[in-house]
Amino acid sequence: MYAYLGEQWLLPPIRDDQPLAQLVERWHAIGLGIDEARGERMVRFLEDTDGVAEALEAEHQALLRVPAGRYLAPIQSVYEEAAFQDGAWSFGRLRARPWKEVTAAYARAGYSVSGQDPLEADHLGCMLEFMAALCREESQAWADGTMERVRDVRTTQAAFLDRHLGGWLEKLRFRLDQARELPYYPDVMGMLETFLKVEVEHLTRQGT
């Protein structure tokens, strides 16, 4: 789940390796597991919007690729110290303390950012991919029966969630609500926030 939610912030939703029909199927299934009403709304949007592939491509470029106008810059360093006052945003600088902390967390885990584009380590998509890697590592530890490793990985997951996938997302959501022209990415954000809440509860309930 982390990998797919992270992918939303890195790649256009509809592309050669993920045609519209597959995207509809994925969000239907994800909605059943996370937020059924939101999943149904996303499916209706995808199925009922004329020219949806072109519209989503344009939205992706404007919000997540082209650093001008409606660009979000979904990066923790940018939003952690951001403020919206008198109708205008003031943003934090790139590669501030969150970036240093995330880079250190990746190094401790032996993880490197994937993909061809140079992305900030504390980009939302990259951090969700890191959580996906930790989940795969936990799954392997369970399969191997190495319970000490399971506990270590879960501790890393809980700490990373708490420090890097928490409060700043509220500011990103507010900025997204201002900038978006289509409902797709706000619903992606809603799915993500609901999923993260479930993950925190799961880790807390199971212990680390």
Side-chain angles (χ1 to χ4, degrees):
M1 187 67 72
Y2 278 112
Y4 193 72
L5 291 171
E7 181 183 287
Q8 301 304 308
W9 306 93
L10 300 172
L11 299 171
I14 300 173
R15 50 190 190 273
D16 290 344
D17 64 339
Q18 182 171 260
L20 175 59
Q22 183 176 332
L23 183 64
V24 168
E25 183 179 332
R26 291 296 297 271
W27 282 119
H28 174 71
I30 290 171
L32 291 176
I34 299 178
D35 183 336
E36 187 170 359
R38 190 182 298 275
E40 290 177 355
R41 184 167 67 239
M42 295 178 79
V43 167
R44 285 197 301 272
F45 165 75
L46 292 169
E47 292 181 333
D48 296 347
T49 302
D50 292 335
V52 68
E54 293 79 9
L56 282 177
E57 171 68 23
E59 188 83 333
H60 177 82
Q61 292 293 325
L63 296 178
L64 299 171
R65 298 293 294 180
V66 180
R70 298 192 288 128
Y71 182 59
L72 295 176
I75 297 166
Q76 187 180 4
S77 289
V78 171
Y79 283 91
E80 185 153 271
E81 302 299 329
F84 185 73
Q85 295 180 330
D86 300 324
W89 281 95
S90 61
F91 292 105
R93 61 184 178 84
L94 291 173
R95 302 200 171 185
R97 185 177 65 178
W99 179 87
K100 296 175 183 177
E101 294 172 351
V102 169
T103 301
Y106 290 174
R108 288 193 297 270
Y111 178 78
S112 60
V113 175
S114 64
Q116 297 179 352
D117 292 338
L119 292 168
E120 294 297 316
D122 56 339
H123 186 287
L124 178 57
C126 295
M127 295 196 290
L128 292 172
E129 285 192 341
F130 176 60
M131 287 297 298
L134 291 177
C135 289
R136 291 191 295 270
E137 187 172 351
E138 180 191 348
S139 179
Q140 185 61 54
W142 279 105
D144 295 340
T146 53
M147 299 312 297
E148 182 176 355
R149 186 57 187 152
V150 169
R151 288 191 292 271
D152 288 346
V153 174
R154 290 174 68 85
T155 296
T156 300
Q157 291 173 359
F160 196 86
L161 275 171
D162 180 64
R163 175 65 186 98
H164 299 294
L165 292 168
W168 74 275
L169 294 179
E170 296 180 7
K171 298 177 185 178
L172 176 60
R173 174 166 34 84
F174 182 57
R175 171 72 180 121
L176 173 58
D177 287 340
Q178 293 175 319
R180 64 94 170 179
E181 291 184 352
L182 302 175
Y184 182 81
Y185 283 104
D187 278 330
V188 169
M189 191 72 188
M191 285 287 196
L192 173 61
E193 290 178 310
T194 301
F195 173 68
L196 292 177
K197 185 181 298 184
V198 170
E199 282 290 283
V200 169
E201 293 173 353
H202 173 71
L203 288 167
T204 300
R205 185 171 58 253
Q206 295 295 320
T208 55

